[in-house]
Amino acid sequence: MSAIVVENLSKVYPVAVKEPGLKGTVQHFFHRTYREVKAVQAISFEIEPGEVVGFLGANGAGKTTTLKMLTGLIHPSSGRVNVAGYTPFQRKTGFLQKITLVMGQKQQLIWDLPALDSLRINAAVYNIPDRQFQQQVDELTEMLALAGKLTQPVRKLSLGERMKAELLAALVHRPQVLFLDEPTLGLDVNAQVSVREFLREYNQRYGATVLLTSHYMADITALCQRVLVIHEGQLIYDGSLEGLVDRFAPCREVKVELAQPYPPEKLALYAELEAIEGQIVRFLVPQEILTRTVAKILTDLDVIDLAVTEPPIEEVIGRVLKAGLVV
Amino acid sequence: MHRIFRLAHTILSVYYAYMLEYRAELLFWVLSGSLPIILMGIWTQAAQSGQFGLGAIDFARYFIAVFMVRQFTVVWVIWEFEREIVEGKLSFRLLQPLNPFWHHFASHFAERFARLPFAFGLLALFFWLYPNAFWIPSFGNLSRFAIAIILAFTLRFLMQYTLAMFAFWIERASALEQFSFLFYLFLSGMIAPLEQFPPFMREIVLWTPFPYLIYFPASLLVGLPVDFGRGLLVILGWSTGFFLICRWLWQKGLRQYSGMGA
């Protein structure tokens, strides 16, 4: 049975519209007009238990709204959702015991108290026996390298430590399905790496299902085998990360180091020229003629070195998100 | 049962620790409730003329009792709930298998234990300055006061929590509280004991929830005559009413919630 099943899920919000200026303000006060915003439009997908799936989309594409519907925080306008065998919006205890949501820009820990106090509340709320709670906290503290930090007031922790403590609080009841909304937001590179490693280890150790949104492509490439891409509320891609690159980046970059300089007009006969820096030339070659072109370059030109690379994934995904390329 | 006891114990102890973080603020919060002490000065002066039915000492005792009742029943849940809605912080609460009501109720309850030592300190100071006003309530009155004060706090909390539910629709639900505070101020007995109201008006007011928030427990403490049985019934009736409306609004409101900013 799938851990997450989403069928034709939609969410429509009414949003008040206000014209700028005094006239607009007065009009807005006496007569409020609303327009409907289709935040999510009939999306469908399934996620199997233990999968780690990246959820990509530009700001306002509908990622967070979808996560809110999957965690039962908001009610869908239409469609069907099933998470861990439950309908999220009913917020049954069994459902809440099985899921968690981590929001990088929000915190649940009590600011003025040590994190351990908030964890004790969570243990009591989730009805975790004392011994099991201690075991869980010890294990997660070790995985997150948080030893000695849980007894300090949360406000005294660094941003990275606080995010790790938030993760600990969100996982202390050992949920099976994790929804992570920008879990590495604002963290430095080292903290990002350690959060990423922790998530990978958590997934492997407990077989948890993870749906992750992030603007840091490194999070996605390090953790996700599969990605969902949402654009203006519609799901435009569901498949492997490599597949996304293949589909949306049909060119490869061929970097050639030549033994002698050649005139650009001659080089341009082989493929589109991306750049020429002395004797180092970079071509952009469509994938279907890649082998032929490389062979021709090697035969015709005096080549010292040749390398074929994929364009950076950030660039590909940026292009997909910007253009909303529909598959 | 064991789970509920453990949950209550943990939440109360953590929120108590949280409240104790604000040592200096606690004193000012207690002092901010000293309007009854100011009114006491006015009424005891006025009582010298002898046309109010109660003597100067009676007024002094009544208003010090009002001060203590306010310390036991002060509620601010609407501002916290409103903030949770507007900032989307309610989301975290909704993710847990415990109704957020209990978090708020526990934090208010725990705050009493942090606040009361300061309040009792002020009470001692008051009696040191005005030894004539000192009195010891009978055991019976004290017991009835204890019941009335717990019920008064619960009713006040339920009333404000019910208004807080409107934050799902209007975001600044605290405006409703500020409006209803007007009724609270005049009808609860905070400004004047209900004995000073015209009889027909007093009879009407006694069917509203307001006098049971201050006048009723304060009168029990100082020994003014009140109908204890009727008082309990009115409190329970209003509490049940507010509880049901609150639950209904909660269910409706959740459908409205959009988790703003989160």
Side-chain angles (χ1 to χ4, degrees):
Chain A
M1 195 185 124
S2 300
I4 301 173
V5 181
V6 173
E7 280 173 15
N8 289 320
L9 190 67
S10 298
K11 180 71 190 177
V12 180
Y13 284 112
V15 177
V17 189
K18 180 189 165 296
E19 295 294 321
L22 183 63
K23 193 177 159 215
T25 306
V26 173
Q27 265 176 355
H28 187 68
F29 184 81
F30 288 106
H31 180 69
R32 223 154 260 205
T33 48
Y34 293 87
R35 73 182 165 89
E36 285 198 333
V37 172
K38 290 175 182 159
V40 175
Q41 299 178 55
I43 63 169
S44 301
F45 60 86
E46 284 189 24
I47 297 177
E48 296 306 314
E51 257 193 293
V52 183
V53 177
F55 197 24
L56 305 176
N59 289 332
K63 299 188 299 285
T64 307
T65 304
T66 306
L67 287 189
K68 283 185 207 161
M69 288 193 277
L70 293 178
T71 47
L73 293 178
I74 61 171
H75 200 278
S77 303
S78 63
R80 196 175 80 86
V81 196
N82 189 293
V83 175
Y86 293 87
T87 302
F89 189 67
Q90 292 172 349
R91 295 180 46 248
K92 296 245 168 78
T93 302
F95 168 71
L96 297 173
Q97 297 264 13
K98 285 191 174 135
I99 64 137
T100 199
L101 170 65
V102 176
M103 292 179 271
Q105 77 282 32
K106 291 274 161 192
Q107 59 158 50
Q108 65 156 313
L109 298 169
I110 301 173
W111 186 247
D112 295 313
L113 292 181
L116 203 53
D117 279 326
S118 298
L119 296 178
R120 281 178 53 223
I121 290 191
N122 284 9
V125 167
Y126 287 104
N127 201 19
I128 308 167
D130 286 336
R131 188 185 285 183
Q132 195 188 324
F133 169 65
Q134 200 50 54
Q135 227 173 6
Q136 283 280 96
V137 172
D138 290 347
E139 204 172 310
L140 292 171
T141 306
E142 197 198 314
M143 284 164 80
L144 286 161
L146 268 178
K149 302 290 179 193
L150 299 181
T151 47
Q152 289 177 18
V154 172
R155 61 169 188 262
K156 303 269 182 195
L157 300 177
S158 70
L159 183 64
E161 289 166 348
R162 210 159 68 220
M163 193 57 228
K164 288 184 191 174
E166 286 286 342
L167 272 172
L168 206 165
L171 299 174
V172 77
H173 59 291
R174 202 177 285 178
Q176 292 170 8
V177 184
L178 277 57
F179 297 98
L180 309 169
D181 194 9
E182 305 281 352
T184 53
L185 191 72
L187 302 186
D188 67 32
V189 177
N190 290 335
Q192 279 180 31
V193 169
S194 64
V195 165
R196 230 171 267 153
E197 276 170 4
F198 166 76
L199 290 173
R200 197 204 326 264
E201 200 183 338
Y202 187 92
N203 163 256
Q204 283 165 359
R205 199 181 282 195
Y206 305 118
T209 310
V210 180
L211 183 59
L212 163 86
T213 81
S214 180
H215 280 114
Y216 299 115
M217 222 33 72
D219 287 348
I220 304 290
T221 50
L223 293 168
C224 309
Q225 302 87 40
R226 177 181 161 199
V227 290
L228 303 172
V229 183
I230 189 168
H231 179 74
E232 291 177 354
Q234 290 177 318
L235 200 64
I236 58 168
Y237 180 82
D238 177 359
S240 69
L241 196 57
E242 298 81 47
L244 183 74
V245 176
D246 282 346
R247 198 176 302 238
F248 294 109
C251 287
R252 293 287 181 273
E253 187 186 86
V254 178
K255 188 176 166 190
V256 185
E257 190 180 347
L258 300 164
Q260 58 185 82
Y262 289 90
E265 53 275 20
K266 187 178 178 197
L267 293 171
L269 296 173
Y270 294 93
E272 184 187 334
L273 271 176
E274 198 186 10
I276 304 177
E277 292 154 17
Q279 277 154 247
I280 296 177
V281 181
R282 284 188 290 172
F283 297 99
L284 267 183
V285 187
Q287 216 177 333
E288 55 274 17
I289 56 159
L290 181 67
T291 322
R292 208 174 345 134
T293 310
V294 169
K296 206 155 181 279
I297 290 170
L298 288 171
T299 321
D300 295 355
L301 307 174
D302 197 358
V303 175
I304 299 172
D305 193 18
L306 183 142
V308 179
T309 51
E310 287 183 352
I313 188 150
E314 283 85 352
E315 210 174 274
V316 177
I317 290 180
R319 214 181 315 157
V320 173
L321 299 186
K322 202 169 155 194
L325 300 167
V326 180
V327 182
Chain B
M1 199 63 206
H2 172 252
R3 184 197 167 216
I4 294 171
F5 180 73
R6 177 175 171 232
L7 187 59
H9 177 260
T10 310
I11 293 191
L12 285 174
S13 66
V14 171
Y15 281 123
Y16 179 64
Y18 177 61
M19 290 301 168
L20 285 190
E21 285 290 310
Y22 304 103
R23 284 174 300 186
E25 292 90 329
L26 273 169
L27 179 63
F28 287 104
W29 286 333
V30 170
L31 287 173
S32 70
S34 45
L35 176 68
I37 311 280
I38 298 163
L39 289 166
M40 175 201 297
I42 298 167
W43 278 103
T44 46
Q45 278 293 317
Q48 313 286 345
S49 65
Q51 47 178 305
F52 290 104
L54 293 177
I57 296 282
D58 295 323
F59 273 116
R61 286 178 182 170
Y62 177 78
F63 281 107
I64 198 71
V66 170
F67 169 74
M68 287 310 287
V69 169
R70 290 272 294 138
Q71 297 301 322
F72 276 104
T73 60
V74 61
V75 170
W76 61 88
V77 68
I78 198 162
W79 284 274
E80 293 212 332
F81 192 84
E82 182 184 282
R83 211 182 61 225
E84 284 187 357
I85 294 264
V86 173
E87 294 176 9
K89 287 188 172 171
L90 184 67
S91 299
F92 281 121
R93 302 265 191 238
L94 291 177
L95 289 170
Q96 296 195 336
L98 176 72
N99 193 309
F101 174 91
W102 295 111
H103 278 282
H104 293 294
F105 193 79
S107 78
H108 278 68
F109 196 71
E111 195 260 3
R112 296 304 102 112
F113 294 99
R115 165 193 290 263
L116 286 176
F118 290 92
F120 281 117
L122 276 178
L123 193 66
L125 179 70
F126 173 79
F127 287 131
W128 183 66
L129 291 171
Y130 301 101
N132 286 345
F134 184 74
W135 88 104
I136 296 175
S138 70
F139 179 73
N141 274 353
L142 208 56
S143 315
R144 281 191 286 273
F145 168 76
I147 296 167
I149 199 75
I150 292 169
L151 292 177
F153 164 64
T154 310
L155 174 59
R156 175 100 180 96
F157 189 87
L158 279 170
M159 284 170 75
Q160 208 183 80
Y161 200 73
T162 304
L163 291 182
M165 292 300 110
F166 286 95
F168 282 118
W169 292 273
I170 60 172
E171 282 140 34
R172 290 286 177 266
S174 54
L176 294 176
E177 169 62 19
Q178 274 154 343
F179 177 65
S180 81
F181 190 75
L182 204 63
F183 296 94
Y184 174 71
L185 198 64
F186 287 102
L187 305 181
S188 67
M190 192 178 356
I191 300 283
L194 258 59
E195 276 76 8
Q196 307 307 321
F197 286 34
F200 76 95
M201 190 180 162
R202 183 163 179 250
E203 198 48 42
I204 296 169
V205 170
L206 280 172
W207 287 106
T208 72
F210 299 105
Y212 301 95
L213 303 175
I214 291 183
Y215 169 77
F216 182 65
S219 298
L220 284 167
L221 196 61
V222 295
L224 290 173
V226 282
D227 186 340
F228 186 65
R230 172 182 154 168
L232 289 193
L233 284 177
V234 177
I235 295 179
L236 289 174
W238 279 107
S239 298
T240 312
F242 277 110
F243 176 74
L244 293 174
I245 297 169
C246 184
R247 269 192 72 88
W248 182 73
L249 288 171
W250 169 253
Q251 296 294 346
K252 292 265 166 207
L254 281 182
R255 286 184 164 260
Q256 195 72 24
Y257 182 62
S258 61
M260 280 177 278

